[in-house]
Amino acid sequence: MNTVYRKGANPKTFLAAYDRTLLQWGVSAESLYVPTQFGKTHVLAAGPAHGEPLVLFHGFGFSSTMWIENMKALSDTFRVYAVDFVGDINKSEMGAPIRNKQDCAAWFSELLNGLGLQRAHVGGHSYGGFVALVIASLLPDRVGKLLVLSPGASLQRQSKRFFMKCLLAGMMPSTKRLEKFMDDMTGKGNTVNRIVKDQFIAAMQNALPRVKLLASYLKDDELRRITSPVLLLIGDQEIQYDAKKAVRRAEKVFPRVEAHIIPQAGHGLPLEKPQTVNRLMISFLRGGSSGKESHVRMLS
């Protein structure tokens, strides 16, 4: 079995941090393992058993516990499956790596089958937003509505400065550097849950993501294959790329999109502005802009 842990690291240190974050969710979650050709995928499931299914993907270097500020609100109505992406630092056990977009789609199909689902709403933050877009492009019949929060690359290319910060965080994961990295991703004046920060530090100091499929710019023909209604949320202080340019491109390529630029918010949207994000996600899933028209606006 491939391992994400660094040489000489203690996996118990990270697993304890993961469990501490989960204890703060405020909602009871069922821990599931779904076998796939890429390994055992760990999933945290919460909400009514017969609620509409919603599958969520976390950001790079994080885990499904990052939905700490969102799970309770979402799981009041929906059956939420927060997935630990195979190859990242979490409780999934990687067998073969997911090397490309086709592998990602095959893995997701096996995951849905293992959960007993034919179709689900899909959402993701950062790298998870990229994953959600890839899946919706290749498996449109298995995706209901699509929630995309601060997607990694995808709509615009990531800046070299952001890429270098990510690279250095992995190569030299001192506590000071990792704290600074998370602060840089957070909008001015905002804070994120301390326990999530602590888990990220424990993760990066004891392990390294072994993900082969990296977030990248998606071509127009890839994005135009997406038939799902799309909710796109990006902070006005996004550090990967220009938020307005990303929204303008989304409006051009998606036939059904509701896009919001969230003021006074950085890259960590679901952690920085949970009330706003939860309200928009729930409204969109319950009704939202599911018609043919596009709807784009800057929240005030």
Side-chain angles (χ1 to χ4, degrees):
M1 181 184 71
N2 294 310
T3 180
V4 299
Y5 292 103
R6 298 177 190 265
K7 186 177 180 180
N10 184 358
K12 292 182 179 178
T13 301
F14 165 70
L15 294 173
Y18 183 110
D19 289 340
R20 282 194 295 272
T21 309
L22 185 57
L23 284 173
Q24 300 299 314
W25 262 22
V27 61
S28 178
E30 183 180 2
S31 179
L32 309 170
Y33 279 93
V34 179
T36 75
Q37 63 180 300
F38 301 97
K40 293 168 62 178
T41 301
H42 181 248
V43 180
L44 292 169
H50 299 292
E52 286 184 65
L54 168 62
V55 176
L56 296 176
F57 295 111
H58 58 78
F60 195 80
F62 288 81
S63 74
S64 57
T65 61
M66 66 145 281
W67 299 103
I68 186 171
E69 308 288 2
N70 319 102
M71 184 59 77
K72 190 174 188 307
L74 292 171
S75 65
D76 279 347
T77 302
F78 302 94
R79 179 65 171 174
V80 185
Y81 299 93
V83 179
D84 279 342
F85 192 83
V86 173
D88 211 334
I89 308 172
N90 50 53
K91 288 190 175 182
S92 287
E93 300 174 10
M94 185 174 69
I98 294 174
R99 295 185 178 277
N100 52 47
K101 295 167 186 173
Q102 289 70 30
D103 282 353
C104 187
W107 166 73
F108 179 74
S109 187
E110 290 184 52
L111 178 64
L112 280 195
N113 292 343
L115 293 171
L117 302 173
Q118 176 57 38
R119 182 180 170 92
H121 303 308
V122 176
H125 170 247
S126 190
Y127 178 74
F130 166 76
V131 169
L133 288 167
V134 167
I135 288 168
S137 174
L138 294 177
L139 297 171
D141 292 342
R142 304 208 71 172
V143 177
K145 292 185 177 181
L146 194 59
L147 312 172
V148 185
L149 283 57
S150 307
S154 305
L155 296 166
Q156 293 291 306
R157 290 179 173 84
Q158 291 175 330
S159 71
K160 292 181 180 179
R161 181 171 176 267
F162 176 78
F163 177 79
M164 287 304 301
K165 284 179 178 289
C166 293
L167 186 64
L168 289 172
M171 292 175 61
M172 295 180 283
S174 68
T175 299
K176 182 178 179 180
R177 184 183 299 279
L178 294 172
E179 289 270 8
K180 179 71 163 52
F181 178 63
M182 288 200 71
D183 288 344
D184 286 347
M185 289 195 293
T186 305
K188 293 178 182 178
N190 296 339
T191 58
V192 301
N193 196 303
R194 181 69 243 178
I195 201 166
V196 175
K197 271 192 171 184
D198 290 341
Q199 182 185 321
F200 179 69
I201 291 169
M204 295 303 294
Q205 291 181 342
N206 288 279
L208 191 65
R210 306 297 179 185
V211 175
K212 301 297 183 183
L213 173 64
L214 300 179
S216 62
Y217 182 84
L218 297 174
K219 297 178 181 178
D220 284 359
D221 62 340
E222 294 178 284
L223 294 173
R224 287 191 173 118
R225 287 200 295 264
I226 295 173
T227 57
S228 303
V230 179
L231 175 68
L232 174 65
L233 305 180
I234 303 179
D236 65 347
Q237 296 175 36
E238 174 60 60
I239 64 170
Q240 296 181 92
Y241 43 66
D242 186 292
K244 291 181 180 179
K245 288 182 179 178
V247 165
R248 284 198 295 269
R249 183 161 183 244
E251 189 176 18
K252 289 179 181 178
V253 295
F254 297 134
R256 296 180 290 178
V257 60
E258 177 183 332
H260 299 273
I261 295 178
I262 311 298
Q264 300 176 344
H267 184 64
L269 272 184
L271 291 163
E272 293 180 51
K273 299 290 183 180
Q275 291 184 335
T276 299
V277 168
N278 292 342
R279 173 175 57 81
L280 290 170
M281 288 194 296
I282 291 169
S283 174
F284 181 76
L285 289 171
R286 286 178 173 169
S289 294
S290 57
K292 294 286 185 182
E293 76 287 349
S294 295
H295 172 66
V296 181
R297 71 189 182 102
M298 173 90 173
L299 292 187
S300 57

XYZ file of all heavy atoms in Angstrom, residues 88-182:
727
model
N -4.429 12.102 -0.733
C -4.181 13.291 0.082
C -4.014 12.849 1.539
O -4.088 11.665 1.862
C -5.328 14.295 -0.069
C -4.856 15.741 0.087
O -3.837 15.959 0.767
O -5.506 16.647 -0.458
N -3.811 13.817 2.429
C -3.507 13.497 3.825
C -4.813 13.375 4.597
O -5.415 14.375 5.006
C -2.607 14.577 4.453
C -1.376 14.815 3.569
C -2.170 14.150 5.854
C -0.539 16.000 4.003
N -5.261 12.170 4.782
C -6.547 11.919 5.424
C -6.634 10.453 5.826
O -5.595 9.795 5.981
C -7.690 12.320 4.479
C -7.512 11.730 3.091
O -7.341 10.520 2.942
N -7.560 12.566 2.056
N -7.822 9.914 5.953
C -7.984 8.529 6.396
C -8.213 7.540 5.256
O -8.381 6.345 5.508
C -9.130 8.425 7.410
C -8.794 9.030 8.765
C -9.853 8.698 9.809
C -9.448 9.197 11.189
N -10.460 8.839 12.221
N -8.231 8.008 4.028
C -8.311 7.069 2.912
C -6.989 6.311 2.793
O -5.934 6.813 3.193
C -8.619 7.803 1.602
O -9.964 8.225 1.568
N -7.058 5.122 2.224
C -5.876 4.277 2.054
C -5.643 4.059 0.559
O -6.364 3.293 -0.078
C -6.073 2.948 2.783
C -6.292 3.112 4.281
C -6.635 1.803 4.974
O -6.513 0.737 4.321
O -7.018 1.836 6.151
N -4.653 4.748 0.022
C -4.416 4.700 -1.416
C -3.811 3.371 -1.841
O -2.889 2.859 -1.199
C -3.504 5.842 -1.839
C -3.297 5.936 -3.347
S -2.344 7.387 -3.850
C -0.719 6.967 -3.211
N -4.354 2.813 -2.918
C -3.762 1.651 -3.548
C -2.990 2.121 -4.760
O -1.798 2.382 -4.704
N -3.669 2.304 -5.879
C -3.079 2.897 -7.076
C -3.418 4.385 -7.104
O -4.524 4.783 -6.737
C -3.629 2.207 -8.325
N -2.491 5.241 -7.538
C -2.779 6.681 -7.572
C -3.761 7.051 -8.678
O -3.829 6.393 -9.714
C -1.404 7.308 -7.834
C -0.637 6.241 -8.539
C -1.113 4.936 -7.960
N -4.530 8.091 -8.434
C -5.371 8.695 -9.470
C -4.451 9.596 -10.290
O -4.013 10.636 -9.816
C -6.527 9.483 -8.839
C -7.479 8.529 -8.113
C -7.280 10.290 -9.901
C -8.569 9.219 -7.328
N -4.167 9.190 -11.522
C -3.145 9.864 -12.318
C -3.682 10.923 -13.279
O -2.947 11.806 -13.709
C -2.344 8.830 -13.110
C -1.546 7.877 -12.236
C -0.669 6.951 -13.054
N 0.118 6.077 -12.197
C 1.277 6.419 -11.624
N 1.772 7.641 -11.845
N 1.933 5.585 -10.864
N -4.946 10.811 -13.640
C -5.483 11.727 -14.641
C -6.981 11.913 -14.433
O -7.575 11.327 -13.509
C -5.182 11.217 -16.054
C -5.620 9.776 -16.247
O -6.732 9.396 -15.878
N -4.747 8.952 -16.818
N -7.593 12.714 -15.284
C -9.012 13.035 -15.135
C -9.893 11.809 -15.332
O -10.912 11.649 -14.649
C -9.396 14.144 -16.119
C -8.702 15.461 -15.824
C -8.845 16.445 -16.980
C -8.019 17.698 -16.742
N -8.021 18.592 -17.912
N -9.492 10.939 -16.243
C -10.277 9.726 -16.484
C -10.248 8.810 -15.258
O -11.268 8.210 -14.900
C -9.746 8.993 -17.725
C -10.028 9.696 -19.043
C -9.230 10.976 -19.253
O -8.096 11.109 -18.747
N -9.805 11.928 -19.985
N -9.095 8.708 -14.604
C -9.002 7.945 -13.360
C -9.921 8.539 -12.297
O -10.581 7.823 -11.539
C -7.568 7.959 -12.823
C -6.647 6.991 -13.540
O -7.132 6.203 -14.377
O -5.427 7.035 -13.265
N -9.941 9.866 -12.229
C -10.771 10.557 -11.237
C -12.244 10.229 -11.452
O -12.975 9.959 -10.492
C -10.523 12.064 -11.328
S -11.336 13.028 -10.044
N -12.669 10.243 -12.700
C -14.061 9.921 -13.018
C -14.372 8.466 -12.691
O -15.442 8.152 -12.155
C -14.342 10.206 -14.490
N -13.437 7.559 -13.003
C -13.646 6.142 -12.707
C -13.748 5.922 -11.202
O -14.602 5.152 -10.717
C -12.500 5.315 -13.287
N -12.894 6.611 -10.447
C -12.928 6.509 -8.982
C -14.265 7.015 -8.431
O -14.875 6.375 -7.567
C -11.758 7.314 -8.393
C -11.844 7.569 -6.924
C -11.657 6.668 -5.919
C -12.131 8.825 -6.296
N -11.816 7.283 -4.686
C -12.096 8.603 -4.897
C -12.399 10.107 -6.776
C -12.334 9.631 -3.974
C -12.633 11.120 -5.860
C -12.599 10.880 -4.476
N -14.714 8.166 -8.934
C -15.978 8.720 -8.450
C -17.139 7.789 -8.766
O -18.040 7.600 -7.935
C -16.225 10.089 -9.084
C -17.522 10.727 -8.668
C -17.671 11.265 -7.402
C -18.598 10.776 -9.545
C -18.868 11.854 -7.008
C -19.796 11.357 -9.161
C -19.931 11.898 -7.892
N -17.133 7.192 -9.937
C -18.195 6.266 -10.309
C -18.231 5.069 -9.353
O -19.297 4.660 -8.883
C -17.979 5.795 -11.748
O -19.079 5.024 -12.186
N -17.062 4.531 -9.033
C -16.988 3.420 -8.081
C -17.433 3.870 -6.689
O -18.083 3.109 -5.953
C -15.572 2.871 -8.019
C -15.127 2.125 -9.260
C -13.744 1.528 -9.092
O -13.515 0.818 -8.099
O -12.882 1.785 -9.957
N -17.078 5.085 -6.326
C -17.466 5.623 -5.023
C -18.985 5.729 -4.911
O -19.580 5.293 -3.923
C -16.822 6.995 -4.822
C -17.167 7.734 -3.534
C -16.660 6.971 -2.319
C -16.580 9.144 -3.565
N -19.634 6.311 -5.933
C -21.094 6.411 -5.916
C -21.728 5.028 -5.849
O -22.678 4.806 -5.086
C -21.598 7.147 -7.153
C -21.547 8.674 -7.181
C -22.413 9.194 -8.323
C -21.986 9.302 -5.871
N -21.208 4.105 -6.641
C -21.754 2.745 -6.629
C -21.636 2.132 -5.240
O -22.568 1.481 -4.744
C -21.027 1.866 -7.655
C -21.305 2.281 -9.088
O -22.270 3.010 -9.359
N -20.476 1.841 -10.011
N -20.488 2.335 -4.608
C -20.272 1.789 -3.277
C -21.172 2.395 -2.225
O -21.488 1.749 -1.215
N -21.579 3.646 -2.450
C -22.501 4.313 -1.525
C -23.961 4.020 -1.856
O -24.865 4.486 -1.164
C -22.268 5.832 -1.551
C -20.917 6.325 -1.002
C -20.733 7.809 -1.298
C -20.811 6.052 0.503
N -24.177 3.283 -2.928
C -25.535 2.942 -3.339
C -26.259 4.092 -4.005
O -27.488 4.178 -3.946
N -25.507 4.961 -4.680
C -26.082 6.157 -5.299
C -25.914 6.106 -6.814
O -24.847 5.750 -7.316
C -25.395 7.419 -4.769
C -25.443 7.666 -3.262
C -24.564 8.859 -2.900
C -26.872 7.885 -2.790
N -26.947 6.480 -7.524
C -26.854 6.595 -8.969
C -26.425 8.001 -9.369
O -25.713 8.200 -10.352
C -28.201 6.262 -9.629
C -28.238 6.444 -11.149
C -27.178 5.617 -11.871
O -26.892 4.482 -11.484
N -26.584 6.194 -12.915
N -26.842 8.981 -8.565
C -26.634 10.393 -8.904
C -26.585 11.199 -7.619
O -27.233 10.846 -6.624
C -27.784 10.846 -9.802
C -27.756 12.269 -10.315
C -29.003 12.476 -11.185
N -29.214 13.861 -11.559
C -28.747 14.425 -12.673
N -28.037 13.705 -13.511
N -29.001 15.691 -12.958
N -25.821 12.283 -7.595
C -25.720 13.116 -6.400
C -25.362 14.538 -6.792
O -24.762 14.778 -7.854
C -24.661 12.562 -5.447
N -25.735 15.490 -5.944
C -25.178 16.832 -6.061
C -23.703 16.729 -5.662
O -23.338 15.905 -4.804
C -25.890 17.811 -5.140
C -27.375 17.899 -5.360
N -27.936 18.125 -6.599
C -28.419 17.810 -4.478
C -29.250 18.161 -6.486
N -29.575 17.964 -5.216
N -22.871 17.566 -6.258
C -21.433 17.493 -5.993
C -20.896 18.896 -5.723
O -21.252 19.852 -6.420
C -20.679 16.871 -7.188
C -19.170 16.895 -6.943
C -21.150 15.437 -7.436
N -20.053 19.000 -4.698
C -19.452 20.286 -4.374
C -18.010 20.124 -3.969
O -17.572 19.036 -3.581
N -17.260 21.210 -4.059
C -15.874 21.141 -3.642
C -15.272 22.515 -3.438
O -15.707 23.506 -4.021
N -14.252 22.554 -2.578
C -13.531 23.792 -2.294
C -12.091 23.660 -2.767
O -11.445 22.634 -2.546
C -13.551 24.096 -0.793
C -12.640 25.225 -0.409
N -11.511 25.044 0.360
C -12.672 26.547 -0.723
C -10.892 26.210 0.518
N -11.586 27.131 -0.125
N -11.575 24.681 -3.444
C -10.196 24.744 -3.887
C -9.882 23.548 -4.795
O -10.500 23.409 -5.849
C -9.266 24.801 -2.667
O -7.946 25.079 -3.051
N -8.944 22.682 -4.400
C -8.675 21.487 -5.216
C -9.950 20.665 -5.386
O -10.201 20.104 -6.458
C -7.589 20.634 -4.554
C -7.286 19.364 -5.317
C -6.563 19.406 -6.507
C -7.738 18.131 -4.857
C -6.291 18.250 -7.217
C -7.475 16.971 -5.561
C -6.744 17.028 -6.742
O -6.488 15.874 -7.452
N -10.768 20.618 -4.344
C -12.031 19.892 -4.438
C -12.976 20.486 -5.465
O -13.780 19.777 -6.069
N -12.892 21.810 -5.676
C -13.698 22.440 -6.717
C -13.251 22.002 -8.099
O -14.075 21.771 -8.993
N -11.932 21.890 -8.280
C -11.389 21.362 -9.532
C -11.876 19.931 -9.762
O -12.328 19.582 -10.857
C -9.860 21.415 -9.479
C -9.170 20.610 -10.539
C -9.099 21.061 -11.850
C -8.579 19.390 -10.222
C -8.455 20.310 -12.834
C -7.933 18.634 -11.189
C -7.867 19.092 -12.495
N -11.808 19.106 -8.725
C -12.267 17.712 -8.829
C -13.744 17.665 -9.204
O -14.158 16.884 -10.070
C -12.012 16.954 -7.507
C -12.721 15.603 -7.495
C -10.520 16.761 -7.290
N -14.554 18.499 -8.565
C -15.992 18.521 -8.859
C -16.250 18.881 -10.321
O -17.112 18.282 -10.980
C -16.689 19.514 -7.936
N -15.511 19.840 -10.850
C -15.674 20.240 -12.252
C -15.250 19.122 -13.204
O -15.919 18.866 -14.210
C -14.865 21.508 -12.532
C -15.419 22.802 -11.919
C -14.382 23.909 -11.985
C -16.707 23.231 -12.621
N -14.161 18.451 -12.897
C -13.700 17.331 -13.725
C -14.754 16.232 -13.773
O -15.098 15.704 -14.835
C -12.364 16.779 -13.183
C -12.029 15.431 -13.829
C -11.231 17.778 -13.431
N -15.298 15.891 -12.617
C -16.310 14.830 -12.540
C -17.562 15.214 -13.318
O -18.120 14.417 -14.077
C -16.641 14.540 -11.064
C -15.461 13.814 -10.394
C -17.927 13.729 -10.932
C -15.559 13.749 -8.891
N -18.012 16.469 -13.140
C -19.227 16.911 -13.834
C -19.022 16.957 -15.342
O -19.971 16.768 -16.108
C -19.640 18.285 -13.321
N -17.785 17.197 -15.786
C -17.482 17.230 -17.210
C -17.496 15.834 -17.822
O -17.994 15.640 -18.935
C -16.108 17.876 -17.432
O -15.712 17.806 -18.779
N -16.969 14.852 -17.092
C -16.830 13.502 -17.636
C -18.007 12.589 -17.315
O -18.237 11.605 -18.019
C -15.532 12.872 -17.123
C -14.240 13.534 -17.616
C -13.029 12.873 -16.981
C -14.143 13.484 -19.134
N -18.737 12.913 -16.251
C -19.869 12.074 -15.834
C -21.118 12.931 -15.608
O -21.685 12.948 -14.507
C -19.527 11.311 -14.542
C -18.383 10.302 -14.610
C -18.033 9.811 -13.209
C -18.737 9.126 -15.516
N -21.564 13.656 -16.616
C -22.693 14.581 -16.417
C -23.976 13.898 -15.953
O -24.773 14.513 -15.242
C -22.874 15.220 -17.793
C -22.239 14.266 -18.755
C -21.088 13.667 -18.017
N -24.169 12.642 -16.315
C -25.397 11.938 -15.934
C -25.425 11.551 -14.453
O -26.490 11.188 -13.935
C -25.568 10.664 -16.776
C -25.860 10.972 -18.244
O -26.257 12.116 -18.529
O -25.661 10.078 -19.083
N -24.281 11.642 -13.781
C -24.226 11.226 -12.380
C -24.160 12.410 -11.416
O -24.060 12.217 -10.206
C -23.041 10.281 -12.150
C -23.053 9.056 -13.062
C -22.368 7.864 -12.479
N -23.119 7.275 -11.375
C -22.796 6.118 -10.783
N -21.747 5.440 -11.203
N -23.519 5.645 -9.783
N -24.196 13.627 -11.978
C -24.088 14.833 -11.157
C -25.363 15.646 -11.264
O -25.827 15.954 -12.366
C -22.875 15.682 -11.597
C -22.816 16.975 -10.788
C -21.580 14.890 -11.427
N -25.939 16.003 -10.100
C -27.117 16.861 -10.081
C -26.686 18.317 -10.188
O -26.273 18.778 -11.246
N -26.732 19.049 -9.096
C -26.244 20.424 -9.078
C -24.786 20.438 -8.636
O -24.305 19.528 -7.957
C -27.111 21.280 -8.152
C -28.522 21.477 -8.692
C -29.327 22.429 -7.825
C -30.711 22.661 -8.423
N -31.523 23.609 -7.616
N -24.084 21.497 -9.023
C -22.650 21.593 -8.812
C -22.328 22.837 -7.992
O -22.711 23.946 -8.354
C -21.960 21.658 -10.177
C -20.460 21.435 -10.261
C -20.081 20.059 -9.724
C -20.005 21.582 -11.714
N -21.623 22.642 -6.876
C -21.219 23.735 -5.995
C -19.706 23.883 -6.078
O -18.968 22.971 -5.687
C -21.613 23.435 -4.544
C -23.041 22.961 -4.279
C -23.197 22.521 -2.838
C -24.034 24.069 -4.600
N -19.224 25.020 -6.561
C -17.796 25.205 -6.797
C -17.323 26.423 -6.011
O -17.701 27.556 -6.313
C -17.507 25.375 -8.296
C -16.005 25.456 -8.537
C -18.109 24.223 -9.098
N -16.490 26.190 -5.002
C -16.025 27.246 -4.110
C -14.527 27.470 -4.304
O -13.717 26.546 -4.117
C -16.276 26.860 -2.645
C -17.700 26.965 -2.078
C -18.702 26.141 -2.871
C -17.693 26.526 -0.609
N -14.147 28.678 -4.726
C -12.731 29.026 -4.929
C -11.978 27.915 -5.641
O -10.986 27.396 -5.132
C -12.057 29.293 -3.569
O -12.745 30.236 -2.821
N -12.425 27.510 -6.821
C -11.824 26.334 -7.457
C -10.334 26.505 -7.726
O -9.875 27.576 -8.123
C -12.601 26.219 -8.774
C -13.109 27.598 -9.049
C -13.417 28.159 -7.697
N -9.570 25.441 -7.475
C -8.154 25.452 -7.797
C -7.977 25.530 -9.301
O -8.472 24.672 -10.029
N -7.291 26.563 -9.778
C -7.091 26.786 -11.217
C -8.443 26.690 -11.930
O -9.324 27.498 -11.681
C -6.067 25.808 -11.773
N -8.627 25.711 -12.804
C -9.904 25.432 -13.478
C -10.321 26.551 -14.428
O -10.242 26.422 -15.646
C -11.030 25.170 -12.465
O -10.697 24.142 -11.576
N -10.808 27.662 -13.889
C -11.330 28.764 -14.702
C -10.257 29.779 -15.091
O -10.403 30.502 -16.075
C -12.455 29.472 -13.953
C -13.689 28.607 -13.692
C -14.596 29.276 -12.672
C -14.440 28.348 -14.995
N -9.212 29.856 -14.291
C -8.064 30.723 -14.571
C -6.805 29.996 -14.112
O -6.846 29.179 -13.198
C -8.180 32.055 -13.819
C -9.300 32.958 -14.277
C -9.069 33.527 -15.657
O -8.034 34.137 -15.930
N -10.023 33.312 -16.559
N -5.694 30.299 -14.736
C -4.437 29.690 -14.316
C -3.981 30.278 -12.982
O -4.123 31.476 -12.752
C -3.362 29.890 -15.380
C -3.630 29.066 -16.635
C -2.567 29.273 -17.702
N -2.776 28.343 -18.819
C -3.610 28.569 -19.837
N -4.307 29.701 -19.868
N -3.751 27.674 -20.801
N -3.431 29.420 -12.130
C -2.935 29.890 -10.841
C -1.689 30.745 -11.028
O -0.872 30.494 -11.915
C -2.599 28.691 -9.942
C -3.813 27.907 -9.475
C -3.428 26.672 -8.696
O -2.380 26.080 -8.932
N -4.271 26.263 -7.766
N -1.538 31.741 -10.175
C -0.353 32.587 -10.238
C 0.881 31.798 -9.813
O 0.798 30.861 -9.005
C -0.522 33.809 -9.328
O -0.453 33.420 -7.963
N 2.040 32.172 -10.346
C 3.296 31.511 -9.975
C 3.595 31.726 -8.496
O 4.165 30.853 -7.833
C 4.435 32.043 -10.845
C 4.318 31.628 -12.304
C 5.490 32.171 -13.124
C 5.365 31.749 -14.580
N 6.480 32.294 -15.407
N 3.215 32.880 -7.986
C 3.471 33.190 -6.578
C 2.709 32.221 -5.671
O 3.264 31.707 -4.697
C 3.042 34.628 -6.286
C 3.289 35.084 -4.849
C 3.044 36.588 -4.724
N 3.187 37.030 -3.349
C 2.185 37.116 -2.485
N 0.954 36.789 -2.882
N 2.384 37.530 -1.258
N 1.446 31.953 -6.016
C 0.649 31.016 -5.228
C 1.248 29.612 -5.313
O 1.373 28.912 -4.315
C -0.793 31.000 -5.728
C -1.668 29.988 -5.042
C -2.164 30.236 -3.770
C -1.988 28.789 -5.657
C -2.969 29.303 -3.123
C -2.797 27.854 -5.024
C -3.280 28.112 -3.749
N 1.654 29.208 -6.524
C 2.241 27.878 -6.712
C 3.502 27.722 -5.867
O 3.725 26.684 -5.226
C 2.552 27.643 -8.185
C 3.229 26.326 -8.451
C 2.492 25.153 -8.494
C 4.607 26.261 -8.644
C 3.108 23.928 -8.722
C 5.229 25.039 -8.869
C 4.483 23.868 -8.917
N 4.343 28.749 -5.835
C 5.591 28.668 -5.066
C 5.315 28.576 -3.567
O 6.005 27.849 -2.852
C 6.472 29.885 -5.368
C 7.115 29.846 -6.743
S 8.102 28.348 -7.028
C 9.315 28.475 -5.703
N 4.305 29.292 -3.101
C 3.947 29.204 -1.687
C 3.518 27.779 -1.328
O 3.881 27.252 -0.272
C 2.825 30.191 -1.356
C 3.257 31.645 -1.248
C 2.064 32.530 -0.944
C 2.494 33.977 -0.780
N 3.253 34.194 0.459
N 2.743 27.161 -2.213
C 2.304 25.777 -1.982
C 3.501 24.834 -1.963
O 3.593 23.943 -1.107
C 1.327 25.347 -3.076
S -0.251 26.222 -3.064
N 4.417 25.034 -2.917
C 5.584 24.173 -3.024
C 6.466 24.269 -1.780
O 6.898 23.248 -1.217
C 6.386 24.548 -4.269
C 7.570 23.660 -4.635
C 7.095 22.258 -4.975
C 8.342 24.249 -5.817
N 6.710 25.486 -1.322
C 7.558 25.683 -0.152
C 6.913 25.142 1.118
O 7.606 24.624 2.004
C 7.881 27.170 0.015
C 8.833 27.758 -1.035
C 8.920 29.270 -0.872
C 10.212 27.123 -0.926
N 5.585 25.234 1.190
C 4.878 24.695 2.365
C 5.079 23.190 2.465
O 5.178 22.641 3.571
C 3.395 25.026 2.277
N 5.157 22.518 1.317
C 5.372 21.082 1.326
C 6.820 20.699 1.553
O 7.120 19.720 2.235
N 7.756 21.492 0.992
C 9.180 21.169 1.084
C 9.778 21.533 2.438
O 10.654 20.826 2.949
C 9.947 21.893 -0.029
C 9.632 21.399 -1.430
S 10.467 22.393 -2.708
C 12.197 22.134 -2.273
N 9.323 22.648 3.009
C 9.878 23.123 4.287
C 8.733 23.467 5.241
O 8.425 24.645 5.474
C 10.774 24.338 4.036
C 12.002 24.021 3.206
S 13.067 25.453 2.906
C 12.146 26.299 1.629
N 8.078 22.439 5.789
C 6.841 22.659 6.557
C 7.059 23.045 8.022
O 6.585 22.373 8.949
C 6.153 21.299 6.441
C 7.280 20.316 6.408
C 8.366 20.991 5.630
N 7.773 24.148 8.231
C 7.908 24.632 9.608
C 6.564 25.193 10.067
O 5.737 25.614 9.242
C 8.976 25.724 9.689
O 8.542 26.893 8.997
N 6.351 25.211 11.365
C 5.099 25.738 11.890
C 4.909 27.198 11.468
O 3.816 27.603 11.061
C 5.071 25.634 13.423
O 5.163 24.251 13.796
C 3.783 26.222 13.999
N 5.988 27.991 11.518
C 5.906 29.404 11.143
C 5.505 29.557 9.679
O 4.652 30.376 9.337
C 7.253 30.079 11.397
C 7.260 31.566 11.079
C 8.612 32.189 11.412
C 8.617 33.682 11.078
N 9.948 34.297 11.403
N 6.113 28.760 8.788
C 5.799 28.856 7.367
C 4.360 28.448 7.081
O 3.647 29.074 6.299
C 6.749 27.991 6.543
C 6.532 28.123 5.031
C 7.452 27.197 4.256
N 8.841 27.498 4.491
C 9.513 28.473 3.872
N 8.887 29.229 2.980
N 10.780 28.689 4.136
N 3.893 27.380 7.732
C 2.538 26.893 7.496
C 1.491 27.865 8.032
O 0.439 28.067 7.427
C 2.356 25.507 8.126
C 3.197 24.394 7.481
C 3.093 23.115 8.315
C 2.775 24.141 6.042
N 1.791 28.483 9.183
C 0.893 29.515 9.727
C 0.792 30.683 8.740
O -0.305 31.177 8.448
C 1.413 30.018 11.067
C 1.304 29.028 12.215
C -0.012 29.140 12.965
O -0.905 29.877 12.509
O -0.146 28.492 14.012
N 1.939 31.105 8.225
C 1.968 32.228 7.276
C 1.228 31.862 5.991
O 0.494 32.694 5.418
C 3.423 32.579 6.968
C 3.620 33.716 5.959
C 3.232 35.058 6.569
C 3.780 36.231 5.770
N 3.468 36.207 4.333
N 1.397 30.629 5.530
C 0.734 30.164 4.315
C -0.784 30.240 4.465
O -1.486 30.742 3.580
C 1.179 28.731 4.024
C 0.531 28.110 2.818
C 0.726 28.640 1.555
C -0.262 26.983 2.946
C 0.143 28.059 0.434
C -0.853 26.400 1.838
C -0.652 26.934 0.583
N -1.297 29.770 5.588
C -2.743 29.815 5.803
C -3.232 31.242 5.977
O -4.309 31.600 5.494
C -3.122 28.958 7.011
C -3.022 27.467 6.760
S -3.989 26.489 7.928
C -5.653 26.863 7.384
